[in-house]
Amino acid sequence: MGAFDEGRFNVELENGVNLGGCVELGFEEDPETVAIEDSVKILLQGLGEDVNREGLRKTPLRVAKALREGTRGYRQRVNDIVQGALFPEAGLETGIGHAGGAGGIVIVRDLDLFSYCECCLLPFQVKCHVGYVPSGQRVVGLSKLSRVADVFAKRLQDPQRLADEVCSALHSGIKPTGVAVVLQCLHIHFPNFESAFFDLNHQGWVKMQFTSGAGVFEDDKADIWGDFRSLLKFRGINFEKTCPRDSSYKCWCPSQAISKMGPANSGMVSAVASIIRSLGEDPLRNELLETPTRFVKWLMNFKKLHSFRAKLVSFWSQCEHHLLPFHGVVHIGYIRTEGVNPIGKSLLQSIVHFHGFKLQVQERLTRQIAETASSLLGGDVMVVVEANHACMISRGIEKFGSNTATVAVLGRFSTDLASREKFMQSIPNFPTAGE
């Protein structure tokens, strides 16, 4: 097992579990919620925004709801989730071997989770696979494996610690012969303002795999791991991509490089520390010490811009309703008009970047790109924006793999069905997150 906060973990095991710790409908007046709202207003003001603007007026409350829901694991304890769901199951009655409640391996695959990265406060996606070897002639209800994993995922997390905590909780609660946990994690890699212009090979996602084992799985070279890996290969999992346990921070969160970038606004840093405290965490915990600074430096990419000078860029933006990122591709089509010179792809990308790198909603972004391009291209413009939104996975709906398309049509495109269809047919397939 890797190192994690065993003291806090053991206290939770002793105190049992409170499954009623989810955000309640009337939580708006809770001191923690109000404190988060006040901190979000400071962040918005630091970006040069008007907190009373129509699109931002309810943003502090929306952010507070999303964060409290996404970290509800702090209000849940981890013991006894499985205690009421252990069922007697006989093993083999005769012969040599393992099966049933005495040694037959059980694996639950493809549990979709999300968590908030403790390094940068951005959400990351998790595909969780849990296996255990029953003992004592009993098995556990399979849904409890998912519930235990979700309690730990709904906290500020590091993937390796997440795997270790899930593994330890199950091993302590079920008391099996062994437990194994494999996490496939996907972390958005958001470029900073400068690198987005010039890095044409920027990779939008970091993919890593993490494992943890207890009991017969504690030795990662044990034969039982061979059975576990074989059963996961049906899901296309390549264990060669597993992150070494002693280097998870070095190879995981892309925000580690942000710490080296200049000073950050101290008031905004204090506001983020207050948010972390209101969620039930200690902002002075060693792994969280630099998190407020990293988050503020990342957020400042979206400070209001009044001029721009740009070359090739990718489409990245920030949802003004939830202060979570969205990114994707923009397709721009136009009808050549006599007397209007065509413009290069670099200028079109500059237009997208200018409108994207600020607090936005996808519908407005689509319209603004179309209107700006129309003024340069003679008026006959069609724009399709396709994007993955972090808020679609990190809030209650948790819709993994979904994406959103928005369309703007100006000039002849609004009446010429044939031109619209021809443009639509030219659009390539847009992959979902991580593909």
Side-chain angles (χ1 to χ4, degrees):
M1 296 296 299
F4 63 99
D5 191 345
E6 294 186 9
R8 181 176 64 179
F9 177 81
N10 289 333
V11 168
E12 292 183 352
L13 288 179
E14 293 172 1
N15 290 342
V17 62
N18 174 16
L19 293 180
C22 299
V23 177
E24 299 176 356
L25 293 178
F27 87 114
E28 286 89 345
E29 303 302 320
D30 288 354
E32 293 81 4
T33 302
V34 174
I36 294 174
E37 289 185 76
D38 291 341
S39 295
V40 172
K41 290 177 183 178
I42 292 174
L43 296 177
L44 291 173
Q45 290 167 343
L47 292 174
E49 292 285 353
D50 177 6
V51 295
N52 293 315
R53 178 164 64 82
E54 182 62 32
L56 293 178
R57 197 171 297 159
K58 294 184 179 180
T59 292
L61 179 59
R62 283 190 289 256
V63 172
K65 286 182 176 180
L67 286 174
R68 294 201 65 194
E69 172 66 19
T71 57
R72 65 176 183 266
Y74 289 118
R75 299 181 296 282
Q76 297 173 318
R77 298 183 296 275
V78 294
N79 198 25
D80 295 336
I81 290 182
V82 297
Q83 295 304 308
L86 288 171
F87 306 101
E89 185 62 41
L92 289 175
E93 294 181 0
T94 60
I96 299 174
H98 307 284
I105 188 171
V106 179
I107 297 179
V108 176
R109 300 173 291 200
D110 298 331
L111 300 173
D112 283 322
L113 308 170
F114 90 90
S115 190
Y116 280 98
C117 176
E118 66 179 18
C119 289
C120 64
L121 298 186
L122 291 181
F124 64 93
Q125 298 180 44
V126 180
K127 185 78 73 173
C128 177
H129 314 277
V130 181
Y132 79 102
V133 178
S135 65
Q137 306 285 319
R138 61 182 187 172
V139 296
V140 68
L142 298 180
S143 66
K144 305 305 179 183
L145 302 179
S146 175
R147 293 178 71 182
V148 169
D150 190 63
V151 166
F152 287 108
K154 293 299 189 289
R155 304 179 180 191
L156 303 185
Q157 276 289 9
D158 164 72
Q160 185 61 64
R161 189 175 69 248
L162 173 58
D164 290 342
E165 289 182 338
V166 172
C167 186
S168 289
L170 291 173
H171 196 248
S172 299
I174 303 173
K175 295 182 171 48
T177 302
V179 176
V181 176
V182 173
L183 305 181
Q184 294 173 283
C185 299
L186 195 64
H187 193 306
I188 192 169
H189 185 187
F190 211 106
N192 61 49
F193 185 78
E194 290 80 9
S195 68
F197 283 122
F198 303 109
D199 184 3
L200 303 183
N201 298 313
H202 176 78
Q203 298 297 313
W205 297 90
V206 175
K207 302 177 185 178
M208 292 302 301
Q209 195 163 278
F210 302 83
T211 65
S212 187
V216 295
F217 288 100
E218 189 163 3
D219 181 0
D220 59 9
K221 295 181 175 59
D223 292 341
I224 190 69
W225 269 108
D227 295 337
F228 191 92
R229 291 187 179 100
S230 294
L231 289 168
L232 290 185
K233 283 182 179 178
F234 297 134
R235 292 295 188 267
I237 299 176
N238 181 3
F239 277 81
E240 293 179 357
K241 297 181 180 180
T242 300
C243 185
R245 179 179 293 276
D246 60 354
S247 62
S248 62
Y249 269 92
K250 297 178 182 178
C251 66
W252 169 243
C253 181
S255 74
Q256 294 294 314
I258 297 179
S259 298
K260 304 174 183 178
M261 299 165 44
N265 181 303
S266 59
M268 296 174 72
V269 170
S270 297
V272 176
S274 175
I275 290 174
I276 292 173
R277 189 178 299 108
S278 297
L279 293 176
E281 258 291 1
D282 178 9
L284 298 180
R285 178 161 64 84
N286 187 55
E287 295 85 356
L288 292 171
L289 281 174
E290 296 298 322
T291 298
T293 298
R294 282 191 288 262
F295 181 80
V296 170
K297 290 180 178 179
W298 166 77
L299 192 63
M300 291 303 288
N301 282 306
F302 304 96
K303 188 171 184 178
K304 273 195 167 181
L305 302 176
H306 300 288
S307 63
F308 69 97
R309 184 177 301 169
K311 294 184 179 180
L312 303 170
V313 299
S314 299
F315 155 47
W316 298 87
S317 197
Q318 178 86 336
C319 173
E320 71 175 31
H321 292 162
H322 304 101
L323 295 188
L324 288 170
F326 66 97
H327 79 109
V329 292
V330 178
H331 311 280
I332 302 176
Y334 61 95
I335 300 173
R336 290 283 301 273
T337 301
E338 187 175 350
V340 176
N341 294 323
I343 62 177
K345 182 179 179 181
S346 62
L347 180 53
L348 292 176
Q349 288 180 317
S350 299
I351 293 169
V352 172
H353 188 88
F354 173 64
H355 291 300
F357 258 86
K358 59 186 68 175
L359 299 187
Q360 273 287 13
V361 294
Q362 185 172 332
E363 296 86 348
R364 184 194 308 141
L365 174 62
T366 307
R367 172 181 60 79
Q368 290 175 337
I369 293 171
E371 289 176 340
T372 304
S374 174
S375 67
L376 299 173
L377 293 168
D380 303 315
V381 171
M382 183 169 180
V383 173
V384 174
V385 177
E386 299 181 275
N388 292 317
H389 289 250
C391 63
M392 291 292 285
I393 65 164
S394 62
R395 297 171 61 236
I397 49 178
E398 298 185 21
K399 295 298 182 183
F400 296 87
S402 65
N403 60 76
T404 302
T406 47
V407 181
V409 291
L410 300 179
R412 279 182 283 173
F413 274 107
S414 63
T415 57
D416 188 343
L417 179 60
S419 295
R420 289 208 305 272
E421 288 182 347
K422 184 177 180 180
F423 174 66
M424 289 291 196
Q425 291 171 1
S426 70
I427 295 176
N429 180 54
F430 175 56
T432 57
E435 290 186 351

